[in-house]
Amino acid sequence: MKYKLHVIDTTNNKEYDFHFPGSKTILEIKQGLRDVTNIPVRFQRWVGWPDSLTDENTKLGALDLPDSVLELILSKEEVPPKSKKQLIDLTSSESENEFEDAAECFGVDDDMFQASSSSKKIQPLMPEDIEDEVVAVSNFEKEFANRYGPCHPSFQGTLAEALQASCHKPAKERRPLAIYLHHDASVLTNVFCTQLLCSETVVSYLALNFVTWAWDLTYESNKTFLLAVLSQNLGMAAANAVRNIALNNLPAIMVITKVRSTPEVLTVIPGNVGLDDLMTRLIHAVEVFNSAMQSEIWEEEEREAREKVKREQDAAYEASLLADRAKEEARRQEVEEKLKQEEEELLKKEELEQIRQHEEEVRDAIRRSLAEQLPPEPAADSSKPVSHIRVRLPTGITIGRRFTADTPLSLLLTYIASQGYPAADYKVLASWPRRDLTALEEQKTLEELQLYPKETLTLEER
């Protein structure tokens, strides 16, 4: 059975794919990598071999390896210069084994080692000398997905936006901010990203409980840029926390929480942890955060309740003021309407009075005109026959006048009309025989109408 090894050479910034049979020992593999990478076996530092590997003479097939691909990271260990004597001592049989020809292990004819014909150069997650925070994080997201696959935490926007989405929310909606700090020069980076940060368990837990943001510290210029951003948004304590993280502890996850007024660093989780340890620390950070937030949530609820009561009281007061104003306005409108009606009624009365006075003046003028048409009243001892006529008005008052017996009926009716009772509106009734004089011939005299020597007439409104 053959095994595929994917080796990331961080020293030379290259990647290789190898196929080995299970009969090859770990030492033989390391000796073969010496000629490919130019890193002596004694200076090779590996990350990713199973924990069960204790003897370099162990055969590959004896290890509990995955069926697909084993991810390994290779780097060169820096050691101080040794004395001449020590260098001479290195010519032991073991050293000879390390520097012997590796053709046996990596020859093409034996079909046991197949390296990629062209090594793939790793692209940085962020270009050097970054100036735009949004562009930097967007490039980080893209290159991270290209390097480690689509299953990874989401990194978007600026640090200020991440803080706004996590820390600067009401207490019930607040979440911790997890800042992932990456460094390509660290031997822990590939294993941490592939086996921890991009595991479904970690990705799901971060998405549910955290807001995530990331930065690449590989270039010193970008690290300086991040320290300035941290100082501006979180203060010098957060910047110093990043500055003090050693390379052998990177990558790292820095957890930022806000309790009370100011965001602060809750914890920094280094990259030299396992999956269980990482999950334990993330869960612990969430528990500490939630515990600290309980009192603030309670205080916020109390404050909201007080503000709600105050708002309700203010609303009730405003409603009362509006009601009072509405009542006052209604009263004012009622008074104005009443005054308007009184003014209209007064004007109407004045108009009617003017009409009445005008009509009265007209009637008086008519009465005067009719009175002027009457002949003088004969004296009681006149030598001519005189008829005494009495007229009972509708008001109960009786008026009377003397007329000569040869006075026509028209003058009698003119007299009655001059008193304000025209024949058009009133009947003039004689008692015996009962008749309406206004219906008789007006040329007949009083004597002919048997209204001589005296008669009492009654007026009846038509």
Side-chain angles (χ1 to χ4, degrees):
M1 180 177 178
K2 290 187 178 182
Y3 295 88
K4 181 178 179 180
L5 305 184
H6 179 72
V7 179
I8 300 175
D9 179 7
T10 59
T11 301
N12 300 302
N13 201 23
K14 294 182 179 181
E15 296 183 18
Y16 308 93
D17 289 325
F18 303 115
H19 295 80
F20 293 98
S23 60
K24 286 296 178 182
T25 66
I26 304 302
L27 179 60
E28 289 173 337
I29 294 174
K30 290 182 177 181
Q31 290 172 343
L33 264 294
R34 175 198 61 197
D35 290 346
V36 175
T37 62
N38 201 29
I39 302 177
V41 173
R42 67 182 182 279
F43 295 145
Q44 293 178 7
R45 182 174 179 180
W46 293 84
V47 176
W49 290 111
D51 296 336
S52 60
L53 177 60
T54 57
D55 186 0
E56 291 185 337
N57 293 315
T58 303
K59 293 184 178 181
L60 197 60
L63 298 175
D64 185 15
L65 299 180
D67 295 335
S68 57
V69 180
L70 177 63
E71 297 277 353
L72 297 172
I73 299 176
L74 172 62
S75 61
K76 182 178 180 180
E77 182 178 3
E78 299 294 337
V79 295
K82 297 183 180 293
S83 63
K84 183 175 180 180
K85 183 181 184 220
Q86 289 174 319
L87 289 174
I88 295 174
D89 290 340
L90 289 176
T91 59
S92 62
S93 59
E94 180 180 353
S95 300
E96 290 175 355
N97 290 335
E98 288 185 356
F99 290 97
E100 67 184 6
D101 190 358
E104 294 182 3
C105 298
F106 295 93
V108 177
D109 294 338
D110 65 4
D111 194 30
M112 293 180 293
F113 169 68
Q114 299 173 7
S116 300
S117 59
S118 61
S119 59
K120 177 182 176 183
K121 183 173 179 60
I122 301 175
Q123 296 296 324
L125 298 184
M126 285 185 182
E128 191 173 5
D129 296 324
I130 200 72
E131 295 181 356
D132 190 315
E133 192 176 347
V134 175
V135 173
V137 176
S138 177
N139 195 83
F140 186 102
E141 176 98 4
K142 176 183 176 182
E143 293 300 330
F144 193 92
N146 291 338
R147 188 183 297 184
Y148 301 110
C151 182
H152 62 80
S154 176
F155 312 117
Q156 293 293 335
T158 64
L159 177 59
E161 292 170 344
L163 286 169
Q164 186 64 39
S166 58
C167 297
H168 301 315
K169 289 276 189 180
K172 288 183 178 180
E173 304 175 18
R174 203 173 300 167
R175 290 191 292 169
L177 172 61
I179 300 179
Y180 170 62
L181 301 172
H182 185 90
H183 203 301
D184 280 333
S186 173
V187 296
L188 303 174
T189 298
N190 191 66
V191 173
F192 184 86
C193 291
T194 56
Q195 299 183 15
L196 279 73
L197 188 60
C198 294
S199 71
E200 293 185 5
T201 303
V202 174
V203 171
S204 300
Y205 192 77
L206 287 174
L208 183 63
N209 297 279
F210 291 82
V211 172
T212 51
W213 193 75
W215 197 262
D216 185 5
L217 301 176
T218 303
Y219 294 113
E220 191 65 28
S221 60
N222 294 344
K223 179 178 180 180
T224 303
F225 186 95
L226 175 64
L227 295 177
V229 172
L230 289 172
S231 300
Q232 179 181 356
N233 291 276
L234 293 171
M236 289 303 300
N240 289 333
V242 172
R243 186 181 287 109
N244 294 332
I245 300 176
L247 178 61
N248 57 4
N249 286 329
L250 289 172
I253 296 178
M254 184 167 66
V255 179
I256 306 295
T257 60
K258 178 186 177 184
V259 180
R260 302 299 177 188
S261 58
T262 306
E264 58 185 18
V265 179
L266 176 64
T267 184
V268 177
I269 304 175
N272 56 351
V273 295
L275 179 59
D276 292 341
D277 192 11
L278 175 61
M279 286 300 303
T280 299
R281 296 194 184 197
L282 290 176
I283 293 171
H284 178 69
V286 171
E287 290 176 349
V288 171
F289 171 74
N290 290 337
S291 176
M293 289 302 298
Q294 287 303 314
S295 61
E296 188 168 349
I297 292 174
W298 180 82
E299 292 176 2
E300 187 174 90
E301 289 176 347
E302 288 289 315
R303 183 168 57 255
E304 290 178 352
R306 290 193 300 270
E307 292 176 352
K308 181 180 179 182
V309 171
K310 186 176 182 300
R311 287 194 300 269
E312 291 175 350
Q313 292 175 344
D314 292 343
Y317 177 71
E318 288 294 329
S320 176
L321 285 181
L322 290 176
D324 292 343
R325 291 171 185 168
K327 290 179 181 179
E328 184 65 26
E329 181 66 17
R331 283 194 295 268
R332 185 184 65 78
Q333 292 181 356
E334 182 179 356
V335 171
E336 290 181 354
E337 187 67 23
K338 186 175 180 180
L339 290 175
K340 183 179 179 181
Q341 290 178 355
E342 291 178 352
E343 290 177 357
E344 290 177 351
E345 291 177 358
L346 180 60
L347 291 174
K348 188 174 181 180
K349 287 181 180 179
E350 291 178 352
E351 183 179 354
L352 292 175
E353 181 64 22
Q354 291 175 358
I355 293 173
R356 188 193 65 77
Q357 290 178 2
H358 177 69
E359 291 176 349
E360 185 66 28
E361 291 173 356
V362 171
R363 285 194 295 269
D364 289 344
I366 292 173
R367 284 195 296 268
R368 288 192 299 270
S369 175
L370 293 173
E372 291 175 355
Q373 297 177 18
L374 296 174
E377 184 178 7
D381 56 350
S382 174
S383 58
K384 293 181 179 183
V386 175
S387 177
H388 294 272
I389 302 299
R390 292 170 58 82
V391 181
R392 186 176 292 110
L393 304 176
T395 60
I397 299 173
T398 302
I399 60 175
R401 191 182 190 279
R402 296 183 294 278
F403 296 91
T404 59
D406 59 355
T407 300
L409 176 59
S410 60
L411 288 179
L412 173 60
L413 296 177
T414 298
Y415 166 71
I416 294 173
S418 68
Q419 300 300 314
Y421 302 94
D425 298 329
Y426 294 88
K427 296 178 181 180
V428 181
L429 303 177
S431 58
W432 184 263
R434 183 175 177 80
R435 52 196 168 153
D436 181 8
L437 299 181
T438 60
L440 302 178
E441 297 180 7
E442 294 182 357
Q443 291 79 14
K444 289 186 177 183
T445 65
L446 298 182
E447 186 175 2
E448 290 174 341
L449 295 173
Q450 298 178 6
L451 300 176
Y452 173 79
K454 62 181 179 179
E455 181 65 36
T456 299
L457 305 175
T458 302
L459 298 183
E460 184 179 289
E461 191 172 1
R462 292 185 187 278

